[in-house]
Amino acid sequence: MADPANTKLGRMLLDEITPAVMVLRTPLVEESCRKNGLSLIEMLTPYCNFNNIDVPVRTADQPYRLRRFKLRLFYASEIRQPNIEAAKERLKQVITHAGDRDISKLSSDPPDIQSLIATSEQEFVPSWFQDFNKELVDAVSFSEHEAFDHPVACLVAVSSKDKDPIDKFVDLFNANQLPSLLNDGAMDPKILKYFLLIHDNQDGLVEKATGILSEMRNAFGANDCRLLCINSSADGAAEHQESPWASYKNGTSNNKQIGCFLNVDDIEELRNTMHDLSSKHIIPHMELKIRVLNQQVSATRKGFRNQIKNLWWRKGKEDTPENPDGSTYTFSSTESQIRVLGDYAFMLRDYELALSNYRLISTDYKLDKAWKYYAGVQEMMGLAYFMLDQSRKDSEYCMENAFTTYLKMGSSGGWNATRCGIWWAEMLKARDQFKDAAGVYCRISGEEPLHSAVMLEQASYCFLFSTPTMLRKYGFHIVLSGDLYMKCDQIKHAIRTYRSALSVFKGTTWNHISDHVHFHIGKWYAFLGMSDEGIKHVLEVLACGHQSKATQELFLREFFRIIEETGKTFEVMRLQLPVINFPLMKVVFEDHRTYASPTAASAKESLWQSLEEDIIPSHSVMKTNWLESQPKILPKKYKESNVCVAGEAIKVDISLKNPLQIPISISNVSLICKHSTEYDDTESDANGHLIEYQNNKEFRAAVSVSGDFSLETSLFTLSEVDISMRGGETILVQLTVTPKIEGSLKIIGVRWKLSGSVVGVCNFQSDIVRKKVAKGKRKPKQSVKDNLQFLVIKSLPRLEGVIHDLPTTVCAGDLRRLTLELRNPSKISVKNLKMRISHPRFLNVAAQEVMNSEFPSCLEKQASSSQSCSQVDDAKAKNSVFVFPETVASSWETPLRWPLWFRAAASGSISLYITIYYEMEDGSSVITYRTLRMQYNLEVLPSLEVSFQTSRSPSRLQEFLVRMDVINKTASETFQVHQLSCVGDQWELALLQPIDSVMPLKFLMAGQALSYFFKLKNHRTRGSTEDDISSLATSGRADVSLLDSDSPGLFDASIPPLNLFHHQERVHQERHKQGHGSTVDFILISKSWSDSSAGLPRTTKVFSHHTCHCRIASNSPIWWLMDGPRSVGHDFAAAAFCEINLSMTIYNNSEDAVSVRINTFDSTPSVNLVNPGASSSGDEVGWHQTSNPSEAKVTSPDVTGTRVGKALPTESVSPFIWSGSSSTRVNLEPLTSVEVPLQISVFSPGTFDLSNYSLHWNLVPSSGNEGGRENDSRVSSGTCNGHSYHITVLQKE
């Protein structure tokens, strides 16, 4: 710690614990002094403080020199214990004047938290605390238990104009005029007297005063008298560059300058007078008295004998009642003399002597139970320890002991406890024990609210300057302080303390206390008439969604009250009601891209770009290239601007959220825009940011305070929206601005009016762009949403498109005819129209002539027309770009209508995207073409679930059995299954049972399931001609009606739109090619009828369900049938064996030639033979099931029950053998068959299974396809086991 005398407490002690001088004067003396606007004490006080008096002092054995010294002057009437109520009033005035003095600082921004921490205590803590603490110390002055306030000397002043000056000196010291403390015996009335004759030079010559001085010296002694001449300036115009009374006297009296009659000689005389009084009279007098008292105390109280004597004498007083005030001690008592000795030594800086005497008397007071005297001595011991810089523990113990003793005394010791606490806190702060000092300040804050407010504020600063910094305690205590200030009507101090707390709560999650601080600051500012500051703070709490509903209503009501009291409409930047969600903000404008609906504008740009890549021109379509074509017209900065067209609206979607639980009313919501017909590069500053709202005069004019802002101007038109928002509601508002002429347009922000009284203004540029550009970082490239600068070009044609009758909710498979309508409101024609659809599986372009036909009758088969299966052009289908005929043009006179086919291909949520490209007839514009983007969202519900199972016919080649399962998945729809069609002319389809037995009700109800069985035959052969195929299609064998004969005709699946959508389904359902042979596609067509309502006729709905790539072949490319007799009679007695001739027909159902080898086995093989009828790929390895040779193939060895001849055992002889060739090889061309003869020899009657053979096949590659075989995933060879074929041989009688 530094020199204690240089600390704040040290300076305070040097100012407060100093010798007191009682001043007695006549009225004429006071009159002469008042000419200067000063009293006698005020005139002398500046010269009572000596910083280098340099007087030798010897209070004990070792002499020392006194450097700093100060006198305190008091009139006799002031030497009394102050009135408590008057002291409270003086303290209140100190606080009030401090608040009035600092009112200018209330409009400045509070410092941030880092600045607070970095600020020193002396710079940050208010200076008026020192005045307040001094008033608290003075409030307990002139106590009877302390001697440092007792007058050391008496200054008697008489004017040279007084009658009988010598008698005046005697009369002034009359006992009746002395303070009561001197008359009551608490103070020693025998004090040093110093006689001062005051001469006013304006009243006469100094010779008279000199004569009076001689008489005084004869009467009172030559050394104790002095002449003081004042008012030497005759005209009262004396000026002082640095007035010595400035810090003691504020203001002037009677509009005269302070000290105006005192010249330099007078001031020098004043200084010499007080120096002479201090150095030659008061200090020697105190020094002498200390030595005398010290000698007496040493003789009576010091030493072992005297101490034992004193303790023995006081032992009898232990049973005496408590005497907290200690009023029994007079100035002549030993205890009082020791206390005077200690206080005199303390005032003369001999702290060791003072401490020894305080220790000596402390025990006496404690034994006497004089608690106030005891606490006072303990207090002085703590201060002596501090000034000696010794034993921190002892000094703090003494201060703690004194403080608690004062508090135990109750109200009589309360003010003394406050003074003790102030000195104790300053002692801790001088030792950097700020946290402990804060605890002391909190203990000082008692029942007086105003005093508690000041103490809590000082405690908060201690928390701030403690190590480590205790910010939360600082904020908490300074808010408590402000609350107490407000209860005492000190609003300015309440605002000051609350504003200091803002820096603590800023950026934290302590929302409730932050709202409390902001709200009350705003309310108090409004009370003081500072409405602007009040509104600024209340604005901070408007978006208080975390508060209760009642608190939100209170905040909003107070906000509107402040606004109403001002009597004018305020424009508020960043008004938090409602809250604007900037990440959800979207800007929609149309350059070469136009949109038919808001949903189309919200789709991703990458999706549209992928859809348009085949229809837009091959060169780059970036807008910078368009502008680069005009380098001489446009400045460089507009190459980064968006492009819009005059007369077409720019839409801005803004998400507004009401953060409160209470409803709010928002009106007149509109954009703030700036339009310029000239390309001026000076509109933005060097950083590309907008000029701030407050400084932009044009911006202020556009948004007037009175609310007369016009939405209709000659440059652009704005939309305006009024909304009411419920609590917590989020609303998406679309605002538009429509430029009327060419130039540049900038969207600056948005404005609205809250409850018809407050205009909110939000600057997009500052709230969007500046948030994204961190300080010290490079500015990123702006997105379209962030770049709100637009280049407005001249008006262009803009097509308007709509698809009529497109449903939003539809069942899967629903087939409809729709109409696309295009309108051109502009008188400029367009050309080269193209269209592309994102999902041709759902939507296809129809032929123009379909517009005039009836639906669905146009889909029915016509008897006069050819029913051959038409093929869809794959290349054209994949391109999916429809080019409108050149003869078709879209002008402003008549709309263009074009038919479309729609089919709900799959259930789920589907988004259809359609883009239409067109070019302008007038090619002089920057934009030469445009696209119309259309989007429709559909919800496709499940309808019919259709599944097929196919299996080969066991008795016929190229015939299959088909099972169709149909389930109605809807909740209420009823369907009529109309027909089933196979796609392709090679197929013939027929029902296996009458239709009435399958569906007697003719309708498929909701949740119902049905199964149909069909026979499917493939008529495709090698070498079939197109005429043969057509004849099959004409016969209608590929279409089967699932209704009775009276029902309407069949639909033609080979014409649009069925064939178009079927092609898309084949592409969508395409599977990886596996196995050999054909696949078949099915189309199930059903009907449904809409309910007639509102007088509308009942309409028919057509549904088509497409199932593609149903495989009808196995993994093997061949299929075969065994033909021959099933029963044979033979007389085995006549002939030992029977020969039976068989034939095997083998069919190649693949597109490649096949080589087949037939292997027969006379005995059941032990490998490669599995269960009859199973087919094998020939690649089977590992453990598997094999046939057991012991299982006899003869199911009836003796049909007649008698044996003829000797039967061979099964272990050695098979009951039959293949008597033909054991291995036969044949070659089959694609889609051909061959018949192979076979023969067996049977040796005994019975029933035999002729499955002990196998067919091994190999694909024979064509001459030009050897290389392509490498990429074929099909198996090129395999082995098939024989089918079961049973033959019965009977014994012929």
Side-chain angles (χ1 to χ4, degrees):
M1 187 180 70
D3 183 9
N6 294 326
T7 63
K8 189 175 180 180
L9 176 61
R11 292 191 298 270
M12 185 184 300
L13 296 178
L14 294 180
D15 288 339
E16 298 297 329
I17 305 180
T18 56
V21 177
M22 181 175 63
V23 178
L24 301 175
R25 83 286 187 209
T26 61
L28 291 179
V29 172
E30 197 70 22
E31 179 181 348
S32 299
C33 295
R34 288 295 176 185
K35 293 181 181 180
N36 297 282
L38 299 167
S39 66
L40 175 60
I41 289 182
E42 291 174 347
M43 185 188 305
L44 297 176
T45 297
Y47 309 104
C48 294
N49 192 2
F50 306 97
N51 292 324
N52 190 17
I53 195 171
D54 195 18
V55 176
V57 178
R58 183 177 179 179
T59 57
D61 296 336
Q62 296 294 330
Y64 60 93
R65 303 193 72 85
L66 192 65
R67 302 291 181 183
R68 297 176 61 182
F69 191 72
K70 181 181 178 181
L71 295 177
R72 291 180 296 151
L73 306 181
F74 300 96
Y75 290 123
S77 59
E78 298 174 347
I79 300 179
R80 56 183 175 81
Q81 293 184 1
N83 182 271
I84 299 300
E85 296 301 324
K88 291 181 180 179
E89 186 62 28
R90 286 196 301 272
L91 289 171
K92 184 177 180 181
Q93 291 178 2
V94 171
I95 298 174
T96 303
H97 292 160
D100 295 338
R101 186 170 62 250
D102 296 339
I103 190 171
S104 59
K105 299 179 181 180
L106 297 182
S107 300
S108 60
D109 294 333
D112 56 42
I113 193 63
Q114 298 300 328
S115 300
L116 289 180
I117 297 175
T119 306
S120 65
E121 180 189 6
Q122 185 176 1
E123 295 175 356
F124 185 73
V125 176
S127 59
W128 60 268
F129 280 176
Q130 184 174 356
D131 300 332
F132 179 83
N133 293 339
K134 185 178 185 305
E135 288 293 336
L136 279 177
V137 172
D138 293 342
V140 292
S141 57
F142 303 108
S143 298
E144 67 278 1
H145 71 291
E146 295 171 335
F148 54 77
D149 282 333
H150 296 181
V152 174
C154 179
L155 177 64
V156 186
V158 176
S159 175
S160 60
K161 295 189 298 180
D162 281 319
K163 186 178 181 181
D164 298 329
I166 304 300
D167 295 337
K168 289 291 183 180
F169 281 114
V170 176
D171 294 340
L172 285 176
F173 206 78
N174 191 344
N176 296 329
Q177 298 181 5
L178 294 179
S180 59
L181 292 176
L182 270 72
N183 295 328
D184 295 342
M187 300 182 185
D188 187 0
K190 297 180 181 180
I191 58 177
L192 173 68
K193 300 180 183 64
Y194 189 77
F195 301 95
L196 186 64
L197 179 64
I198 305 296
H199 175 69
D200 189 345
N201 286 328
Q202 293 184 349
D203 295 335
L205 298 176
V206 73
E207 285 76 5
K208 179 182 177 182
T210 304
I212 298 174
L213 177 62
S214 299
E215 296 179 7
M216 291 171 54
R217 289 176 175 173
N218 293 331
F220 307 116
N223 295 328
D224 296 333
C225 301
R226 187 180 180 88
L227 174 64
L228 176 63
C229 298
I230 61 174
N231 299 336
S232 299
S233 177
D235 54 358
E239 295 184 1
H240 309 280
Q241 293 182 354
E242 295 183 1
S243 176
W245 303 279
S247 58
Y248 301 95
K249 184 74 174 179
N250 294 325
T252 58
S253 177
N254 297 326
N255 296 325
K256 293 182 179 180
Q257 186 179 2
I258 296 177
C260 56
F261 288 97
L262 299 175
N263 60 13
V264 176
D265 295 334
D266 295 338
I267 293 176
E268 186 64 26
E269 186 68 20
L270 289 173
R271 181 180 293 107
N272 293 334
T273 300
M274 298 312 297
H275 188 276
D276 180 74
L277 175 64
S278 300
S279 61
K280 297 181 179 180
H281 296 82
I282 293 180
I283 295 177
H285 171 73
M286 294 177 65
E287 181 183 1
L288 177 63
K289 190 166 186 178
I290 288 174
R291 289 200 295 267
V292 171
L293 290 175
N294 191 24
Q295 186 178 3
Q296 295 177 0
V297 170
S298 298
T300 58
R301 297 297 304 276
K302 293 183 179 180
F304 180 75
R305 179 181 178 183
N306 291 331
Q307 292 180 6
I308 295 297
K309 181 179 178 181
N310 180 63
L311 290 174
W312 183 264
W313 176 76
R314 294 184 183 278
K315 185 177 180 181
K317 301 176 64 176
E318 292 180 354
D319 297 332
T320 59
E322 290 190 3
N323 183 22
D325 293 337
S327 56
T328 58
Y329 301 111
T330 61
F331 72 90
S332 60
S333 64
T334 303
E335 293 83 0
S336 297
Q337 294 296 317
I338 297 174
R339 176 62 196 253
V340 169
L341 173 59
D343 288 348
Y344 274 36
F346 194 98
M347 288 187 285
L348 290 184
R349 313 294 182 262
D350 191 349
Y351 300 113
E352 291 184 356
L353 178 61
L355 180 60
S356 64
N357 286 277
Y358 291 146
R359 287 174 179 169
L360 182 64
I361 200 175
S362 175
T363 305
D364 296 346
Y365 287 144
K366 187 175 183 180
L367 293 175
D368 293 343
K369 299 180 181 179
W371 300 120
K372 192 171 186 179
Y373 286 77
Y374 171 73
V377 171
Q378 288 289 319
E379 185 178 6
M380 294 305 297
M381 287 174 63
L383 297 178
Y385 275 122
F386 173 78
M387 297 303 292
L388 288 171
D389 196 14
Q390 295 177 0
S391 183
R392 292 187 178 186
K393 183 178 179 181
D394 290 340
S395 63
E396 293 178 16
Y397 171 79
C398 292
M399 299 305 290
E400 171 74 27
N401 200 8
F403 184 79
T404 55
T405 304
Y406 279 133
L407 290 180
K408 289 179 181 179
M409 294 175 59
S411 59
S412 61
W415 288 81
N416 292 94
T418 301
R419 183 193 67 180
C420 178
I422 291 174
W423 285 345
W424 186 12
E426 292 296 335
M427 180 188 301
L428 295 172
K429 288 161 63 177
R431 296 168 176 170
D432 293 333
Q433 298 175 252
F434 286 97
K435 181 179 178 181
D436 297 333
V440 174
Y441 279 125
C442 292
R443 295 173 65 180
I444 296 175
S445 59
E447 299 178 357
E448 193 68 29
L450 190 57
H451 301 174
S452 299
V454 180
M455 296 305 165
L456 286 175
E457 185 179 358
Q458 296 190 70
S460 67
Y461 297 138
C462 290
F463 286 123
L464 179 65
F465 295 112
S466 63
T467 304
T469 303
M470 307 174 74
L471 289 178
R472 291 170 58 181
K473 287 185 177 292
Y474 162 72
F476 176 74
H477 284 81
I478 204 166
V479 168
L480 290 179
S481 171
D483 188 59
L484 291 175
Y485 276 131
M486 185 58 204
K487 290 180 180 179
C488 300
D489 296 329
Q490 298 290 336
I491 299 179
K492 297 169 186 176
H493 286 289
I495 294 175
R496 178 181 56 80
T497 52
Y498 267 49
R499 288 175 76 249
S500 299
L502 288 178
S503 57
V504 178
F505 306 130
K506 184 178 180 181
T508 66
T509 57
W510 306 334
N511 296 325
H512 287 79
I513 190 170
S514 179
D515 291 346
H516 169 85
V517 172
H518 274 295
F519 173 70
H520 284 85
I521 291 177
K523 187 169 65 173
W524 297 336
Y525 268 126
F527 181 81
L528 295 178
M530 304 172 67
S531 301
D532 292 346
E533 293 292 330
I535 292 173
K536 181 176 71 173
H537 284 278
V538 179
L539 280 173
E540 297 293 332
V541 302
L542 288 187
C544 54
H546 51 275
Q547 296 283 2
S548 65
K549 185 176 181 180
T551 304
Q552 294 173 1
E553 291 176 345
L554 172 65
F555 288 173
L556 197 59
R557 184 169 59 250
E558 183 66 22
F559 176 69
F560 288 136
R561 184 191 66 79
I562 298 174
I563 295 294
E564 184 180 357
E565 288 180 354
T566 61
K568 54 184 178 179
T569 302
F570 274 84
E571 279 188 346
V572 180
M573 293 292 291
R574 295 181 294 276
L575 179 63
Q576 295 297 307
L577 287 181
V579 175
I580 299 178
N581 193 345
F582 290 104
L584 297 181
M585 190 181 110
K586 182 178 181 181
V587 181
V588 180
F589 62 95
E590 297 180 339
D591 41 23
H592 73 288
R593 304 157 292 188
T594 64
Y595 303 93
S597 63
T599 55
S602 62
K604 293 183 178 180
E605 180 64 22
S606 58
L607 189 148
W608 291 114
Q609 290 179 359
S610 62
L611 191 63
E612 295 170 354
E613 61 183 359
D614 293 336
I615 62 175
I616 60 177
S618 58
H619 60 79
S620 176
V621 296
M622 297 300 292
K623 55 183 176 290
T624 52
N625 286 344
W626 304 336
L627 301 181
E628 286 171 358
S629 63
Q630 310 285 341
K632 298 181 179 179
I633 301 176
L634 302 176
K636 181 178 180 181
K637 74 167 194 168
Y638 283 99
K639 295 181 181 182
E640 296 297 329
S641 301
N642 302 311
V643 178
C644 65
V645 180
E648 297 181 8
I650 300 173
K651 303 173 184 177
V652 180
D653 294 337
I654 301 177
S655 177
L656 303 178
K657 180 181 180 180
N658 179 11
L660 306 181
Q661 304 175 35
I662 57 178
I664 59 175
S665 176
I666 309 297
S667 59
N668 306 112
V669 185
S670 63
L671 295 174
I672 304 172
C673 302
K674 182 177 182 179
H675 189 285
S676 176
T677 56
E678 297 180 358
Y679 305 125
D680 184 7
D681 284 334
T682 62
E683 290 184 11
S684 300
D685 59 14
N687 295 325
H689 294 159
L690 287 175
I691 301 174
E692 287 297 330
Y693 167 79
Q694 292 83 352
N695 300 328
N696 193 334
K697 296 182 179 179
E698 183 177 354
F699 185 78
R700 297 280 296 182
V703 188
S704 61
V705 178
S706 60
D708 57 353
F709 178 70
S710 177
L711 300 176
E712 187 75 27
T713 67
S714 60
L715 301 178
F716 52 83
T717 303
L718 298 174
S719 65
E720 193 174 74
V721 179
D722 297 337
I723 56 175
S724 295
M725 304 183 69
R726 299 188 300 272
E729 183 180 10
T730 299
I731 296 179
L732 187 65
V733 177
Q734 186 174 85
L735 305 176
T736 62
V737 53
T738 306
K740 295 183 178 180
I741 60 176
E742 299 177 57
S744 65
L745 178 71
K746 182 178 294 183
I747 300 178
I748 298 175
V750 63
R751 72 189 300 271
W752 65 93
K753 186 175 287 187
L754 174 62
S755 299
S757 57
V758 182
V759 176
V761 178
C762 178
N763 189 337
F764 289 159
Q765 198 70 13
S766 62
D767 286 302
I768 297 179
V769 176
R770 293 185 182 181
K771 285 182 180 180
K772 294 186 178 182
V773 182
K775 185 176 181 181
K777 296 183 179 180
R778 294 185 60 185
K779 182 178 177 182
K781 185 177 181 180
Q782 291 179 336
S783 66
V784 172
K785 183 176 71 173
D786 296 340
N787 186 7
L788 301 177
Q789 178 84 28
F790 294 88
L791 171 66
V792 184
I793 63 175
K794 68 178 183 178
S795 179
L796 295 175
R798 180 185 181 278
L799 290 186
E800 298 175 353
V802 63
I803 298 179
H804 295 290
D805 303 325
L806 181 61
T808 57
T809 303
V810 66
C811 291
D814 196 344
L815 184 64
R816 302 190 183 192
R817 183 186 64 190
L818 308 176
T819 302
L820 169 66
E821 181 177 323
L822 299 176
R823 290 182 177 272
N824 181 13
S826 174
K827 294 188 178 181
I828 303 175
S829 299
V830 298
K831 61 181 181 179
N832 297 338
L833 274 73
K834 303 177 186 178
M835 179 171 63
R836 187 174 183 185
I837 301 171
S838 63
H839 293 75
R841 188 184 174 205
F842 286 80
L843 198 63
N844 255 302
V845 182
Q848 179 68 36
E849 55 270 15
V850 177
M851 287 289 296
N852 301 323
S853 59
E854 293 291 333
F855 182 84
S857 58
C858 62
L859 304 182
E860 296 179 359
K861 285 189 175 183
Q862 305 297 326
S864 59
S865 62
S866 174
Q867 298 296 320
S868 62
C869 182
S870 61
Q871 299 295 325
V872 178
D873 188 352
D874 290 342
K876 183 177 180 181
K878 290 181 180 179
N879 189 20
S880 67
V881 176
F882 176 74
V883 180
F884 290 88
E886 291 292 339
T887 56
V888 176
S890 181
S891 64
W892 64 277
E893 297 175 345
T894 57
L896 168 64
R897 297 177 181 270
W898 199 272
L900 300 175
W901 293 119
F902 168 77
R903 175 180 172 272
S907 60
S909 298
I910 306 299
S911 295
L912 299 178
Y913 303 94
I914 303 101
T915 181
I916 299 176
Y917 167 88
Y918 57 95
E919 299 176 359
M920 272 61 71
E921 291 285 354
D922 182 11
S924 61
S925 174
V926 174
I927 298 178
T928 59
Y929 71 89
R930 305 189 84 175
T931 57
L932 172 62
R933 297 173 172 180
M934 307 169 67
Q935 179 184 355
Y936 292 91
N937 297 322
L938 311 175
E939 185 69 26
V940 182
L941 305 177
S943 57
L944 296 182
E945 183 180 292
V946 184
S947 61
F948 291 89
Q949 295 181 7
T950 61
S951 61
R952 289 186 179 274
S953 173
S955 59
R956 296 182 184 275
L957 289 173
Q958 297 185 345
E959 285 192 8
F960 306 90
L961 297 179
V962 179
R963 173 178 172 172
M964 178 179 71
D965 296 319
V966 183
I967 304 175
N968 186 352
K969 291 288 189 177
T970 64
S972 59
E973 292 285 337
T974 300
F975 295 92
Q976 184 184 62
V977 183
H978 186 270
Q979 76 181 63
L980 179 65
S981 300
C982 289
V983 179
D985 296 337
Q986 74 271 28
W987 300 108
E988 180 181 346
L989 191 66
L991 271 170
L992 290 181
Q993 75 265 53
I995 191 61
D996 294 337
S997 63
V998 179
M999 192 169 57
L1001 298 179
K1002 300 182 180 180
F1003 291 99
L1004 188 62
M1005 303 299 179
Q1008 185 180 0
L1010 289 175
S1011 296
Y1012 296 84
F1013 294 91
F1014 303 91
K1015 180 176 68 174
L1016 180 65
K1017 187 172 184 180
N1018 189 352
H1019 286 277
R1020 186 180 181 187
T1021 59
R1022 183 175 177 83
S1024 300
T1025 62
E1026 293 296 331
D1027 293 338
D1028 297 333
I1029 296 176
S1030 295
S1031 65
L1032 293 175
T1034 304
S1035 65
R1037 294 174 181 173
D1039 302 317
V1040 175
S1041 175
L1042 302 181
L1043 303 173
D1044 53 24
S1045 58
D1046 298 333
S1047 300
L1050 299 175
F1051 292 108
D1052 192 350
S1054 62
I1055 63 173
L1058 292 175
N1059 66 338
L1060 295 176
F1061 287 122
H1062 185 75
H1063 173 80
Q1064 297 297 333
E1065 288 299 325
R1066 283 185 60 85
V1067 174
H1068 179 74
Q1069 300 180 25
E1070 185 175 4
R1071 303 171 184 172
H1072 183 65
K1073 188 175 181 182
Q1074 292 181 352
H1076 306 271
S1078 303
T1079 60
V1080 62
D1081 299 345
F1082 295 101
I1083 302 177
L1084 177 65
I1085 301 176
S1086 57
K1087 291 183 179 180
S1088 179
W1089 288 269
S1090 62
D1091 297 332
S1092 58
S1093 59
L1096 298 176
R1098 188 180 185 188
T1099 58
T1100 302
K1101 297 181 181 178
V1102 178
F1103 295 82
S1104 67
H1105 297 272
H1106 302 251
T1107 305
C1108 304
H1109 308 292
C1110 294
R1111 189 164 57 85
I1112 60 174
S1114 65
N1115 292 332
S1116 173
I1118 60 174
W1119 185 252
W1120 68 96
L1121 290 177
M1122 184 76 76
D1123 193 15
R1126 292 290 183 172
S1127 177
V1128 176
H1130 180 72
D1131 185 4
F1132 287 95
F1137 62 90
C1138 173
E1139 291 183 349
I1140 303 173
N1141 293 320
L1142 304 170
S1143 65
M1144 179 185 293
T1145 303
I1146 305 174
Y1147 177 73
N1148 178 11
N1149 61 359
S1150 70
E1151 300 291 339
D1152 298 312
V1154 178
S1155 173
V1156 182
R1157 186 179 74 249
I1158 305 171
N1159 298 323
T1160 60
F1161 309 102
D1162 291 338
S1163 61
T1164 303
S1166 60
V1167 293
N1168 291 339
L1169 293 179
V1170 297
N1171 291 336
S1175 41
S1176 174
S1177 64
D1179 298 330
E1180 188 172 13
V1181 295
W1183 293 97
H1184 54 273
Q1185 182 180 359
T1186 61
S1187 298
N1188 190 347
S1190 63
E1191 296 177 359
K1193 294 289 185 177
V1194 182
T1195 58
S1196 180
D1198 189 356
V1199 178
T1200 62
T1202 61
R1203 292 180 63 87
V1204 178
K1206 186 178 180 180
L1208 297 174
T1210 57
E1211 290 82 358
S1212 58
V1213 179
S1214 176
F1216 72 93
I1217 62 173
W1218 296 91
S1219 56
S1221 174
S1222 62
S1223 178
T1224 304
R1225 181 181 294 275
V1226 294
N1227 293 325
L1228 286 85
E1229 295 297 323
L1231 304 177
T1232 60
S1233 62
V1234 65
E1235 186 175 339
V1236 179
L1238 298 173
Q1239 188 183 64
I1240 64 172
S1241 296
V1242 182
F1243 301 102
S1244 62
T1247 300
F1248 308 100
D1249 183 4
L1250 307 182
S1251 61
N1252 52 345
Y1253 65 91
S1254 65
L1255 283 75
H1256 183 79
W1257 55 268
N1258 288 280
L1259 295 181
V1260 180
S1262 60
S1263 59
N1265 196 32
E1266 288 80 357
R1269 182 68 63 187
E1270 297 177 357
N1271 298 326
D1272 197 343
S1273 62
R1274 296 178 300 170
V1275 179
S1276 61
S1277 65
T1279 300
C1280 301
N1281 295 326
H1283 299 318
S1284 294
Y1285 183 85
H1286 293 85
I1287 186 171
T1288 302
V1289 180
L1290 302 176
Q1291 175 67 36
K1292 190 175 181 180
E1293 297 295 338

